[in-house]
Amino acid sequence: MCRCYLSVPTKLWALICMLIAVSLGKAVVLSGFLTLLCFLQFIVQGKLKVLLSYGLFYVVLGILLYGIRYHGFHLAIFSEFYVLMFWNLSPIILISWDLITTSPGELSSFLSRIHTPTPIILGMLVTFRFLPTMKSELKTVSLSMKNRGLTALKNVLLHPVTTCEYVLIPFLFRILMIADQLSVSAVARGAESPGYRGSYYRRNIGILDFATAILWAISTVIYLKIGGIKV
């Protein structure tokens, strides 16, 4: 499948449109129309894994909402309000996920073009690169301890504190090393330089971006026109 990734301004505009639509729209059930447009945006970009996982969750929400609305179905675990809340907020959740999973290089390039202060850009880059790395390192340490039999179920139940120590101490050492490596990498790439910095990840706005932005604007107006605006 051909992947046509959208630019950061387009995704940001889509998020703004969704925030306006969900905040002002009265017809909560009709927000499914906006969610389908979000799914279409994921299809265009080839993000099928997220589409399938959230799509299954959304189908379950739709079934529960139908049962609650037309058959008086009541949930024993949590309130029906949360079903309606997730249904209504799904467009914002999807577009937000599409935005925050954009390449950190593209995000930093966009922030640099709008003259965002350097400390904010660096903080964003460190956050976006550090958290996935931390997850990967935790998985690696846990797997290493598991291969040595230190995190077996018997040890976890009989010696939980010791087992936690076996995983936590190597993990903390790895995190400190990674933090130092990120700092050195930032300095080597000229993070402290006061001059203008270019970017390999700069993406120009194309026809698909303009078409997507217009589609989101028109869809927001139609949604508010049909469903009505909260007074």
Side-chain angles (χ1 to χ4, degrees):
M1 173 180 282
C2 180
R3 298 186 178 186
C4 303
Y5 291 111
L6 300 173
S7 63
V8 175
T10 304
K11 296 178 181 180
L12 188 60
W13 171 251
L15 179 60
I16 293 173
C17 289
M18 290 301 92
L19 289 172
I20 294 174
V22 173
S23 300
L24 300 181
K26 288 195 304 183
V28 176
V29 178
L30 291 180
S31 63
F33 163 70
L34 302 175
T35 304
L36 291 179
L37 291 178
C38 296
F39 287 155
L40 178 61
Q41 180 166 312
F42 276 82
I43 292 175
V44 169
Q45 298 181 94
K47 299 182 177 181
L48 300 181
K49 184 177 180 180
V50 179
L51 176 65
L52 292 175
S53 58
Y54 198 90
L56 292 175
F57 173 70
Y58 196 72
V59 169
V60 173
L61 283 180
I63 295 173
L64 291 176
L65 188 62
Y66 177 81
I68 293 170
R69 185 178 179 89
Y70 296 103
H71 299 282
F73 180 71
H74 295 286
L75 299 174
I77 301 176
F78 53 89
S79 173
E80 292 81 6
F81 167 78
Y82 295 109
V83 176
L84 186 62
M85 181 187 69
F86 278 110
W87 176 271
N88 191 35
L89 294 180
S90 286
I92 296 178
I93 294 173
L94 288 169
I95 295 298
S96 298
W97 181 257
D98 190 23
L99 180 62
I100 65 177
T101 54
T102 305
S103 168
E106 291 186 32
L107 289 174
S108 62
S109 176
F110 168 72
L111 294 175
S112 180
R113 290 202 305 271
I114 62 176
H115 304 289
T116 304
T118 301
I120 296 179
I121 298 178
L122 292 179
M124 184 272 298
L125 288 176
V126 170
T127 302
F128 276 65
R129 291 196 180 275
F130 184 77
L131 292 179
T133 305
M134 184 174 64
K135 178 182 177 181
S136 176
E137 289 299 325
L138 180 60
K139 182 179 180 180
T140 302
V141 172
S142 300
L143 183 60
S144 177
M145 296 299 104
K146 181 179 179 180
N147 291 336
R148 298 177 185 178
L150 298 176
T151 56
L153 181 60
K154 179 180 178 180
N155 292 335
V156 173
L157 295 177
L158 297 179
H159 308 286
V161 177
T162 305
T163 304
C164 181
E165 181 181 351
Y166 287 151
V167 176
L168 188 60
I169 292 180
F171 175 66
L172 291 177
F173 272 111
R174 287 294 303 161
I175 292 301
L176 291 175
M177 293 176 60
I178 292 170
D180 290 337
Q181 292 173 3
L182 287 176
S183 300
V184 173
S185 176
V187 173
R189 297 181 185 215
E192 298 177 343
S193 174
Y196 174 79
R197 291 180 296 276
S199 175
Y200 291 109
Y201 297 92
R202 182 168 182 173
R203 184 188 299 274
N204 295 324
I205 299 177
I207 297 177
L208 180 62
D209 294 292
F210 283 111
T212 303
I214 294 174
L215 176 62
W216 279 119
I218 294 175
S219 301
T220 302
V221 172
I222 293 175
Y223 172 75
L224 295 176
K225 186 70 175 179
I226 295 177
I229 301 176
K230 296 177 183 177
V231 180

